[in-house]
């Protein structure tokens, strides 16, 4: 309610001043452009000659402060005025408390019954945050590494640099915008550390000479023992793996080809053997046929059967004491038979009988 009353009073004062006479005063010096940090105070000065009746301050086209020779009319607690009287001029200073990014815009100072207006621009910058994913870094001595620093929510974007308190063989860094966010950026530091120390990421707003920093500890460890020897690079390992794979495929292929050739060779040998067997079978007679066997055999003329031998013995002159029975065939060898005859002749008279001629048997021997 009090604010509304003050606003009405300011309008009445302005209208009264506009209807009053007097145009012998002017603005000697108007406000200057101001760039401030978010949350700080912005100050603008307007110097006029004596005899003025009403000074009005506006922000982005809206009157926010009115000053008369008797009092200062305040409609918003954020906008206040400090006045200075000089020998030949009057200085009105408008102070904006706790500026925000939305306050950025045109600031104007004007007088009653005057077309003269002095303008300036208020620029509010925002200092965001810094972030490094880890506040303590562990790296290997002599091996390249990278550290990333994120600047988030800055308006405008800051200049990012690095301060190294660590021995290095070489280092470099670059900054890029964060994708999809025009108020954020990141800086990447590449270095080859040789010892322990600290790394500091510094983000600075050049216009305000304001900066923010973030420090992290860097600890260097010795490389593992196996890495100190000669180790193959990644491309060589990949090449060896591919070569071994191809060699394995080649060996398997050769084994398959050898097996196939061996099977084919065996099948070919078996086929040749079967053909040879068939040829042999077609050329030789069938040995299982008895008649064919007899026809193809040769007659053994030196063979004498038992019946022929018996007939020859019977044709010999009989001796005394010897009896020969028909139908019996002697199987005694000639030597034994001669001895028997001698012994029998001495003791007994031999009687011989004529027997019928034995049936002639022809024996054949197959060769």
């Amino acid at each position: 309610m009090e604010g509304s009353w003050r606003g009405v009073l300011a309008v009445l004062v302005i209208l009264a001043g506009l209807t009053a006479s007097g145009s012998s005063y002017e603005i000697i010096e108007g406000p200057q452009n101001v760039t401030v940090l978010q949350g700080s105070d912005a100050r603008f000065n307007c110097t006029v000659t004596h005899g003025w009746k009403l000074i009005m301050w506006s922000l982005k086209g809206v009157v926010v402060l009115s000053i008369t020779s008797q009092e200062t009319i305040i409609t918003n607690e954020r906008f206040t005025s400090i006045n200075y009287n000089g020998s030949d001029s009057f200085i009105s200073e408008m102070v904006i408390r706790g500026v925000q990014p939305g306050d950025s815009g045109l600031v104007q100072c004007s007088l009653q019954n005057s077309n003269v207006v002095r303008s300036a621009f208020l620029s509010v910058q925002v200092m965001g945050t810094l972030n490094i994913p880890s506040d303590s870094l562990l790296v290997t001595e002599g091996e390249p590494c990278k550290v990333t620093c994120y600047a988030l929510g800055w308006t405008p974007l800051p200049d990012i640099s690095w301060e190294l308190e660590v021995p290095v063989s070489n280092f470099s860094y670059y900054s890029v915008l964060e994708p999809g966010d025009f108020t954020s950026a990141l800086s990447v530091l590449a270095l080859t550390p040789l010892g322990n120390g600290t790394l500091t990421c510094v983000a600075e707003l050049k216009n305000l000479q304001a900066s923010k920093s973030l420090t992290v500890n860097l600890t260097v460890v010795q490389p593992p023992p196996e890495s100190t020897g000669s180790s193959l690079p990644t491309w060589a390992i990949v090449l060896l793996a591919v070569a071994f794979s191809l060699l394995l495929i080649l060996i398997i292929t050769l084994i398959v080809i050898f097996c196939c050739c061996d099977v084919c060779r065996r099948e070919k040998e078996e086929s040749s053997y079967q053909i040879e067997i068939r040829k042999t079978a077609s050329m030789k007679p069938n040995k299982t046929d008895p008649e064919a066997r007899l026809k193809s055999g040769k007659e053994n003329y030196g063979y004498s059967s038992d019946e022929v031998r018996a007939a020859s013995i019977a044709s010999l002159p009989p001796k005394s004491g010897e009896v020969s029975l028909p139908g019996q065939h002697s199987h005694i060898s000639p030597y034994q038979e001669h001895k028997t005859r001698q012994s029998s002749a001495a003791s007994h008279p031999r009687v011989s009988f004529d027997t019928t001629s034995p049936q002639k048997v022809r024996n054949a021997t197959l060769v």
Side-chain angles (χ1 to χ4, degrees), residues 71-325:
E71 62 177 339
T72 300
I73 302 172
I74 299 175
T75 58
N76 192 323
E77 296 295 335
R78 293 180 59 231
F79 300 90
T80 60
S81 175
I82 301 175
N83 300 323
Y84 305 94
N85 276 313
S87 58
D88 55 355
S89 62
F90 175 82
I91 301 174
S92 174
E93 181 180 32
M94 181 182 68
V95 180
I96 305 175
R97 308 289 183 183
V99 295
Q100 299 299 319
D103 295 332
S104 297
L106 192 63
V107 176
Q108 293 179 325
C109 171
S110 61
L111 299 174
Q112 66 177 5
N113 294 336
S114 176
N115 294 326
V116 179
V117 177
R118 296 292 185 267
S119 302
F121 192 84
L122 171 62
S123 176
V124 180
Q125 297 188 358
V126 179
M127 181 178 289
T129 60
L130 290 179
N131 179 39
I132 296 178
S134 178
D135 57 356
S136 181
L137 303 175
L138 187 66
V139 297
T140 304
E141 181 181 0
E143 292 188 3
C145 63
K146 291 183 178 181
V147 183
T148 303
C149 179
Y150 296 90
L152 307 175
W154 291 70
T155 304
L157 292 175
D159 293 335
I160 304 177
S161 60
W162 291 85
E163 295 178 358
L164 279 65
E165 297 294 335
V166 58
V168 296
S169 59
N170 57 75
F171 76 97
S172 62
Y173 63 89
Y174 62 92
S175 299
V176 294
L177 289 174
E178 186 75 14
D181 189 355
F182 296 102
T183 63
S184 301
L186 60 89
S187 180
V188 179
L189 171 66
L191 72 159
T192 303
L194 300 177
N196 301 332
T198 58
L199 303 174
T200 302
C201 176
V202 181
E204 182 179 7
L205 295 173
K206 291 294 186 179
N207 293 335
L208 297 178
Q209 298 298 314
S211 64
K212 181 179 286 188
S213 62
L214 179 63
T215 301
V216 295
N217 295 320
L218 181 69
T219 303
V220 174
V221 297
Q222 296 296 324
E226 58 272 13
S227 64
T228 56
S230 58
S231 59
L232 295 176
T234 304
W235 64 266
I237 296 175
V238 173
L239 185 61
L240 287 176
V242 172
F244 280 120
S245 301
L246 294 177
L247 181 61
L248 181 61
I249 294 173
L250 180 61
I251 292 174
I252 294 174
T253 304
L254 291 177
I255 292 174
V256 172
I257 294 174
F258 177 78
C259 293
C260 293
C261 293
D262 186 66
V263 170
C264 293
R265 182 180 59 80
R266 290 183 179 181
E267 291 179 353
K268 186 176 180 181
E269 289 180 356
E270 291 179 358
S271 178
S272 300
Y273 178 75
Q274 292 175 356
I275 292 172
E276 194 67 27
I277 290 298
R278 292 192 189 99
K279 289 182 179 180
T280 305
S282 63
M283 294 176 63
K284 289 184 177 182
N286 190 358
K287 294 183 179 181
T288 58
D289 190 359
E291 296 181 359
R293 186 187 310 168
L294 291 175
K295 292 179 180 181
S296 61
K298 294 183 179 180
E299 187 174 356
N300 187 0
Y301 296 99
Y303 176 77
S304 176
S305 65
D306 292 339
E307 294 179 354
V308 175
R309 187 184 304 137
S312 62
I313 294 174
S315 61
L316 293 175
K319 295 181 180 182
S320 61
E322 181 178 359
V323 179
S324 176
L325 297 179

Side-chain angles (χ1 to χ4, degrees), residues 13-14 17 25 52-56 66-68 110-112:
V13 171
I14 292 171
Y25 48 84
W52 59 276
K53 300 297 182 182
L54 180 65
I55 300 175
M56 294 176 292
S66 299
I67 303 169
T68 66
S110 61
L111 299 174
Q112 66 177 5

